[in-house]
C-alpha cells in the first residue's frame, strides 16, 4: 500500500514513511492511493470480536509491508492495555435509537489516546529497527498534547515538543502536559490561539532545512496513522448495532476534522454508514462550509469546548481531495486561496459532500443546557464536546437508522464547565487523582517561527 499527497507533488511513500514524516513535503497530507474494502462477509465475521481483533482486520490492509502480522498484533495489544475499560470503546444507550460511544477510557481521558497510544508503539518499533531518532513537534488545543506526551514519554529515540495556546486549555489538560517528569517531553505555551500554534507547526515542516536538521516528525491528526487508528471504533460500534446488515449514522464533535474523517474512511471501506454528522461549537467554519460551500476563516472564539476552538480544519483537505476526484492541482489552488482568507467549494464537490455529511452548530448556552439535560434525564454526565454532539444528534437522528454520538472526552477533563451546568464536580479517576499536586514544567514562547526553532534546538537532548 502506497500513500500519495493531496497536493500531488510529493513522493509516494509506504505506510511507515508516511507515518514518520507526517506532513508531505509539498505541504499536503498523505492519503492511501486507494481505499481497501472489506466485504459484507468479512465485516459480519467481526461480530463478537474484541477491539484488538477488529483493529487488526481493519488496519492490516493499510499497513502493507511496514509491520508483519505478528508485530502488528503485538503493537495493538501493547497500545490498548493501558485503557481503563476492557472493551476499550463501550457503547451506552441515551434514548431510543440514540447511543453514546465512550472514547474516554484511555490514559489521558480523551479519544486522542486511541490513536496516540498506538502510534507511540508504531514509532518505537519503526525507529528502533532503523536505529534512528526523531523530534516530534505537535500543536494542541489541549488533548492531543497530553495524549502524545503520555504515549512517548521516556522513549529513547523521540524528543517531544508540544505547543499549546497559553491560557486557552483547561487546568487538567495543562497539568497533563506540564507534569510528566521524563526529560524527552517538553510543554511550550505559545502566545496565541490553537490556529497560531498549528500555523507555526506547518511553517516548521515547510522549512525543509530545519525539518531535516532536527529530523522533524509530526503526530497531529495530519498524520495518517492517527486517522487510521480511529477508523476501528466506527467498525466496533456499527457492528454491535447490527452492521453489516443494518446501517448506522454517527455524530462527531468536530474541530480538525480528523475523527470524522476516520468515519468517512470506514464508510469508504464498506461499513454501512448512513450519515456522518459534523457537530461544531460557535467556531463553525465547517458548518458554514457544508451549508453554503464557503470555507472562510473567522476569528477563533474561546469556548467551554476548547478542543474544538479551531477555524482551519486541516483534515478537511483530505475529503476535498476525494470530492475533487483526487486532483492535486485543484487542492493546491484552494489552499493558496485559504492563505488569503478562504475559498468556495465547487457546486459539484459541495453536492458530493452533502450526500455524506450533515452538520450543526451549537451555542455556548445550548451546550450547557445539554449537559444539564443529559445529567437529569439520560443518566450521563457529558463533557462539553460530547454535549455538542448529543445536541446535534438529537436534531438529525431519524427514527429508523440508529445514531451513535461520539463522546470524545471524560467530563473530569473539563470539571469547571461540567460543574457549572450540572452542579456535579466530576472526580478524576483514581489513577490520576494526584494530578493537582504534581509540579509543573513549561516554557512560554512567542508566536514566532525563529524563536520557536531556537527553543527546540536549545532543549533537545544532545
Ligand atoms: C480533538 C478533540 C475533538 C475534535 O476532534 P477532531 O479530530 O480535531 O475533529 C473533539 N473533542 C475532544 C474532547 C477532542 O480532544
Amino acid at each position: 500500500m502506497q500513500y500519495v499527497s493531496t497536493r500531488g507533488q510529493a513522493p509516494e511513500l509506504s505506510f511507515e514513511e508516511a507515518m514518520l514524516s507526517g506532513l508531505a513535503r509539498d505541504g499536503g497530507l498523505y492519503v492511501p492511493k486507494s481505499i481497501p474494502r472489506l466485504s459484507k462477509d468479512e465485516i459480519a465475521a467481526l461480530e463478537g470480536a474484541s477491539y484488538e481483533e477488529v483493529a487488526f482486520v481493519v488496519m492490516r490492509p493499510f499497513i502493507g509491508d511496514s509491520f508483519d502480522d505478528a508485530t502488528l498484533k503485538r503493537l495493538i495489544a501493547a497500545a490498548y492495555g493501558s485503557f481503563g475499560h476492557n472493551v476499550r470503546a463501550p457503547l451506552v444507550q441515551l434514548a431510543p435509537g440514540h447511543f453514546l460511544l465512550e472514547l474516554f477510557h484511555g490514559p489521558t481521558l480523551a479519544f486522542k489516546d486511541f490513536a496516540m497510544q498506538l502510534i507511540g508503539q508504531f514509532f518505537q518499533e519503526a525507529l528502533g529497527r532503523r536505529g534512528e531518532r526523531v523530534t516530534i513537534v505537535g500543536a494542541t488545543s489541549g488533548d492531543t498534547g497530553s495524549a502524545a506526551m503520555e504515549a512517548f514519554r521516556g522513549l529513547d529515540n523521540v524528543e517531544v515538543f508540544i505547543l499549546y495556546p497559553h491560557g486557552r486549555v483547561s487546568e487538567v489538560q495543562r497539568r497533563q502536559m506540564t507534569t510528566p517528569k521524563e526529560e524527552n517531553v517538553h510543554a511550550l505555551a505559545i502566545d496565541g490561539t490553537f490556529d497560531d500554534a498549528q500555523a507555526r507547526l506547518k511553517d516548521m515542516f515547510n522549512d525543509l532545512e530545519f525539518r531535516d536538521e532536527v529530523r522533524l516528525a509530526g503526530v497531529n491528526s495530519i498524520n495518517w496513522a492517527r486517522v487510521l487508528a480511529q477508523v476501528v471504533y466506527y467498525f466496533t460500534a456499527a457492528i454491535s448495532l447490527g452492521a453489516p446488515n443494518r446501517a448506522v449514522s454517527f455524530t462527531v464533535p468536530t474541530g480538525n476534522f480528523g475523527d470524522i474523517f476516520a468515519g468517512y474512511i470506514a464508510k469508504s471501506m464498506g461499513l454501512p454508514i448512513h450519515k456522518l454528522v459534523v457537530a461544531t461549537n460557535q467556531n463553525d467554519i465547517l458548518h458554514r462550509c457544508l451549508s453554503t460551500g464557503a470555507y472562510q476563516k473567522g476569528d477563533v472564539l474561546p469556548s467551554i469546548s476548547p478542543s474544538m476552538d479551531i477555524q482551519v480544519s486541516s483534515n478537511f483537505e483530505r475529503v476535498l481531495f476525494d470530492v475533487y476526484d483526487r486532483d492535486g492541482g485543484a487542492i493546491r489552488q484552494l489552499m493558496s486561496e485559504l492563505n488569503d482568507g478562504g475559498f468556495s467549494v465547487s457546486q459539484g464537490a459541495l453536492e458530493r459532500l452533502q450526500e455524506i455529511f450533515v452538520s450543526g452548530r451549537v451555542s455556548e448556552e445550548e451546550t450547557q443546557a445539554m449537559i444539564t439535560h443529559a445529567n437529569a434525564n439520560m443518566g450521563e454526565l457529558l463533557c462539553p464536546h460530547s454535549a455538542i454532539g448529543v445536541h446535534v444528534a438529537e436534531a438529525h437522528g431519524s427514527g429508523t437508522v440508529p445514531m451513535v454520538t461520539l463522546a470524545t472526552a471524560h467530563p473530569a477533563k473539563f470539571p469547571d464547565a461540567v460543574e457549572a451546568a450540572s452542579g456535579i464536580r466530576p472526580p478524576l479517576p483514581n489513577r490520576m487523582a494526584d494530578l493537582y499536586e504534581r509540579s509543573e514544567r513549561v516554557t512560554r514562547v512567542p508566536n514566532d517561527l525563529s524563536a520557536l526553532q531556537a527553543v527546540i534546538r536549545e532543549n533537545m537532548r544532545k
Side-chain angles (χ1 to χ4, degrees), residues 230-258:
Q230 293 168 194
V231 176
V232 176
Y233 46 70
Y234 287 89
F235 275 86
T236 59
I239 290 166
S240 54
L241 291 173
N245 299 312
R246 185 159 73 145
V248 179
S249 291
F250 288 90
T251 300
V252 186
T254 298
N256 224 354
F257 208 79

Side-chain angles (χ1 to χ4, degrees), residues 59 108 114 119-120 138 155 210 236 326 328 330 361 371 429 439:
M59 295 194 293
T108 68
F114 278 88
I119 99 173
L155 298 188
F210 178 77
T236 59
R326 303 203 140 208
R361 167 203 207 269
I371 296 174
S439 63

Side-chain angles (χ1 to χ4, degrees), residues 110-112 141 143-144 173 221 226 230 252-260 307-308 310 315 383 385-386 408-409 414:
F111 82 88
K112 304 288 196 306
S141 52
D143 295 325
T144 297
Q173 289 177 314
S221 60
R226 278 193 52 195
Q230 293 168 194
V252 186
T254 298
N256 224 354
F257 208 79
D259 207 5
I260 195 157
S307 306
M308 294 157 61
I310 292 175
N315 281 290
C383 91
H385 311 78
S386 310
T408 50
F414 304 92

Side-chain angles (χ1 to χ4, degrees), residues 158-387:
V158 277
E159 198 78 24
V160 180
F161 293 88
I162 297 296
L163 283 166
Y164 70 84
H166 177 71
R168 293 184 185 234
V169 299
S170 82
E171 186 175 357
V172 174
Q173 289 177 314
R174 188 192 73 231
R175 286 181 171 276
Q176 284 181 336
M177 292 187 278
T178 58
T179 59
K181 291 199 168 49
E182 290 80 358
E183 288 192 353
N184 70 321
V185 294
H186 312 268
L188 308 180
I190 187 170
D191 289 315
T193 64
F194 169 71
D195 283 353
D196 293 323
Q198 182 160 257
R200 296 297 79 72
L201 177 68
K202 285 193 180 162
D203 292 346
M204 268 183 239
F205 272 94
N206 290 327
D207 178 345
L208 298 183
E209 220 170 287
F210 178 77
R211 180 169 175 167
D212 292 337
E213 173 196 334
V214 303
R215 198 148 157 61
L216 199 60
V219 294
N220 269 82
S221 60
I222 51 176
N223 192 307
W224 166 258
R226 278 193 52 195
V227 173
L228 178 59
Q230 293 168 194
V231 176
V232 176
Y233 46 70
Y234 287 89
F235 275 86
T236 59
I239 290 166
S240 54
L241 291 173
N245 299 312
R246 185 159 73 145
V248 179
S249 291
F250 288 90
T251 300
V252 186
T254 298
N256 224 354
F257 208 79
D259 207 5
I260 195 157
F261 184 72
Y264 169 81
I265 295 292
K267 181 174 165 70
S268 309
M269 290 179 73
L271 189 67
I273 294 179
H274 177 57
K275 289 286 179 202
L276 288 164
V277 185
V278 173
T280 77
N281 66 19
Q282 54 192 344
N283 296 292
D284 61 351
I285 183 168
L286 285 167
H287 174 55
R288 284 183 282 121
C289 181
L290 290 167
S291 315
T292 68
Y295 193 78
Q296 288 294 335
K297 283 194 262 190
D299 289 331
V300 178
L301 303 171
S303 76
I304 58 170
S305 47
S307 306
M308 294 157 61
D309 289 348
I310 292 175
Q311 282 288 345
V312 177
S313 299
S314 293
N315 281 290
F316 197 52
E317 180 170 341
R318 286 188 158 119
V319 79
L320 288 173
F321 184 58
D322 268 9
V323 296
Y324 275 86
D325 293 318
R326 303 203 140 208
D327 175 354
I331 302 303
R332 284 203 300 283
Q333 173 64 31
L334 294 180
M335 293 303 142
S336 82
E337 289 173 34
L338 183 60
N339 282 337
D340 302 327
F343 57 78
S344 282
V345 177
S346 73
Q347 191 56 31
L350 182 61
E351 280 166 16
R352 289 174 67 184
L353 287 171
Q354 289 174 339
E355 278 166 27
I356 304 165
F357 297 100
V358 179
S359 66
R361 167 203 207 269
V362 183
S363 70
E364 295 287 275
E365 297 71 35
E366 289 166 330
T367 308
Q368 279 201 315
M370 180 48 80
I371 296 174
T372 311
H373 171 74
N375 179 52
N377 303 304
M378 296 170 166
E380 204 55 48
L381 203 53
L382 297 172
C383 91
H385 311 78
S386 310

